[in-house]
Amino acid sequence: MKLIFLSLILFSFPLFANAEEKSKEMCECLNKSKSSNSAKDKKRCLTLREKHVKALKKGSDAYSQYLEKLGQCEREMVGNGEIKDNLSFEEKVKEVCDCFSLAPKGQKMACFQKQSQYGKTFAEDQKRIEFNQITNSCDK
């Protein structure tokens, strides 16, 4: 029994390390693509993403970790950074509405992501629904 448990730990650790390495590699690719604005670099990132999805096996724990790290990278790239859980309801609304009002046209995806992340911080369904209704009106 101990041998099986030890084997699972040893075999799963490289997968998680692998997921972190792959997310760093992808983040570097996205940063390079963003700064160069080259179609060739963007295509390279798409190809890399397909390779990572195949290697990590979509739906696995390693793949979930990869997506989480990649999401953090993307938030940092667009200036959203970390989501602040300690903000009041009104402050979270203000953050999302400010994002929508300041985002250049066609680049509001980061604001929708911020809205989603802040929405997940509410334990009460009614608060989450209210938050989404108020912040949806900001994107007009």
Side-chain angles (χ1 to χ4, degrees), residues 21-71:
E21 289 171 18
K22 289 186 182 326
S23 63
K24 284 180 184 176
E25 181 182 20
M26 187 64 181
C27 189
E28 289 170 8
C29 185
L30 292 171
N31 279 314
K32 181 180 178 185
S33 171
K34 182 180 177 185
S35 63
S36 75
N37 209 16
S38 160
K40 183 179 177 182
D41 287 336
K42 289 177 184 178
K43 183 167 175 68
R44 184 178 159 272
C45 292
L46 287 173
T47 303
L48 185 61
R49 173 70 182 239
E50 290 172 10
K51 180 180 162 188
H52 288 166
V53 170
K54 190 174 185 178
L56 294 172
K57 299 191 180 17
K58 194 172 186 176
S60 70
D61 288 341
Y63 181 72
S64 296
Q65 184 186 24
Y66 170 78
L67 290 179
E68 185 179 315
K69 294 281 186 187
L70 201 53

Side-chain angles (χ1 to χ4, degrees), residues 53-120:
V53 170
K54 190 174 185 178
L56 294 172
K57 299 191 180 17
K58 194 172 186 176
S60 70
D61 288 341
Y63 181 72
S64 296
Q65 184 186 24
Y66 170 78
L67 290 179
E68 185 179 315
K69 294 281 186 187
L70 201 53
Q72 183 178 358
C73 169
E74 290 169 344
R75 284 192 300 277
E76 289 170 3
M77 282 176 57
V78 294
N80 281 351
E82 291 295 315
I83 300 301
K84 305 168 200 155
D85 291 333
N86 60 344
L87 296 179
S88 70
F89 179 86
E90 292 77 17
E91 290 170 324
K92 290 176 183 179
V93 168
K94 183 180 180 337
E95 284 242 346
V96 172
C97 288
D98 286 352
C99 182
F100 279 122
S101 67
L102 298 172
K105 191 171 182 106
Q107 295 195 359
K108 294 188 178 188
M109 198 61 204
C111 302
F112 287 115
Q113 187 176 32
K114 180 177 271 196
Q115 179 188 38
S116 173
Q117 291 297 319
Y118 275 130
K120 291 175 187 174

